[in-house]
Amino acid sequence: MSRFAYHTGEDDQPLEGGVRAVITKQRTGKPQVATNGVPGPEETLLDIAELVRNVGMQYVHTFALLPEAEPEISAAEPIVGKITLTNAGATLLLRGTASTQLSTECGRCLEPRLEPVEIELEESYDLIASPSGRHDDVEAVDSDNPEAPVITGTILNLGELLRQTILVAAPVTPTCGETCPNLQKLPRWSTEEATTRTPLSRLGELLRKSSENSDSVI
């Protein structure tokens, strides 16, 4: 029986069983399980040791990570969302959603702008028991991403998961859309007819005009 309280699922608060917060030692920089247990919404590291040992256990975590928690994302506001972790026996299932506003610039006029991003999270990780066969020695393995794993042992790096997913979902060349001042300066045909014109369109027009001129002479 867990020493943490379990949530009944009747409201929108996180489940409080199976997952604990992780803090980082200032001197060594190594993660350490916090003694107060339940992780807050701003936590990026979650200890899931109890969860991976108990088949069928489920945990719901609502998060709101500050922009500075993952500077590579360039978020202009907190990254908010919810994940559900489920021990399915051989695998750990992670499902959830996240959203934020990215601070970026238009690819045409280079003016700063905000780009909304909403993502669906759907991951699975293998649950591997230690060679000794001890019940307490079970780890989740991120075999699909060995170079930058989201889970190391029994520590889930929520910040890394969101970083990887949001960077993939972010537009490569964001633009202001039809309101972009540089778009208004482009020739009309390049903005309104670009989807229908081909490199041979101009040649076709010249041949058509040549044929019309020949007919008029006859």
Side-chain angles (χ1 to χ4, degrees):
M1 184 68 177
S2 169
R3 66 185 179 89
F4 302 111
Y6 280 82
H7 183 265
T8 60
E10 295 176 354
D11 54 43
D12 198 34
Q13 297 300 316
L15 292 177
E16 297 180 352
V19 174
R20 292 184 290 178
V22 175
I23 59 177
T24 301
K25 290 183 177 181
Q26 294 183 354
R27 292 184 179 180
T28 63
K30 295 181 179 180
Q32 179 183 26
V33 178
T35 57
N36 60 346
V38 182
E42 74 287 349
E43 303 288 350
T44 59
L45 299 177
L46 307 177
D47 178 78
I48 57 174
E50 184 180 3
L51 180 67
V52 300
R53 292 197 304 263
N54 293 274
V55 177
M57 180 176 283
Q58 188 176 78
Y59 181 87
V60 179
H61 179 63
T62 301
F63 57 87
L65 305 186
L66 297 178
E68 54 266 28
E70 293 297 328
E72 190 175 344
I73 297 178
S74 299
E77 61 184 33
I79 307 168
V80 299
K82 180 189 294 186
I83 59 172
T84 299
L85 298 169
T86 305
N87 184 329
T91 58
L92 175 68
L93 303 178
L94 186 152
R95 303 289 184 271
T97 58
S99 63
T100 189
Q101 295 261 15
L102 301 182
S103 178
T104 182
E105 62 182 24
C106 175
R108 294 194 186 101
C109 64
L110 304 182
E111 288 295 321
R113 66 184 308 274
L114 296 178
E115 185 73 28
V117 173
E118 296 184 2
I119 57 175
E120 296 284 337
L121 299 168
E122 187 169 349
E123 305 289 341
S124 63
Y125 308 99
D126 297 330
L127 294 180
I128 307 297
S130 68
S132 64
R134 292 179 54 189
H135 177 67
D136 290 343
D137 294 338
V138 178
E139 296 184 350
V141 178
D142 187 2
S143 56
D144 292 335
N145 195 13
E147 295 184 359
V150 170
I151 296 181
T152 303
T154 58
I155 304 299
L156 168 63
N157 191 331
L158 179 60
E160 177 64 18
L161 171 65
L162 294 173
R163 184 192 71 82
Q164 294 179 13
T165 311
I166 291 176
L167 289 179
V168 171
V172 178
T173 308
T175 63
C176 299
E178 296 181 357
T179 60
C180 179
N182 279 5
L183 184 64
Q184 306 300 324
K185 299 177 183 179
L186 296 175
R188 182 176 179 181
W189 69 265
S190 66
T191 57
E192 297 182 358
E193 303 177 19
T195 57
T196 58
R197 297 179 67 93
T198 68
L200 297 180
S201 297
R202 180 59 178 166
L203 177 59
E205 292 175 0
L206 294 175
L207 291 176
R208 187 165 50 254
K209 290 182 179 180
S210 177
S211 177
E212 291 174 354
N213 292 335
S214 299
D215 292 342
S216 62
V217 172
I218 294 175

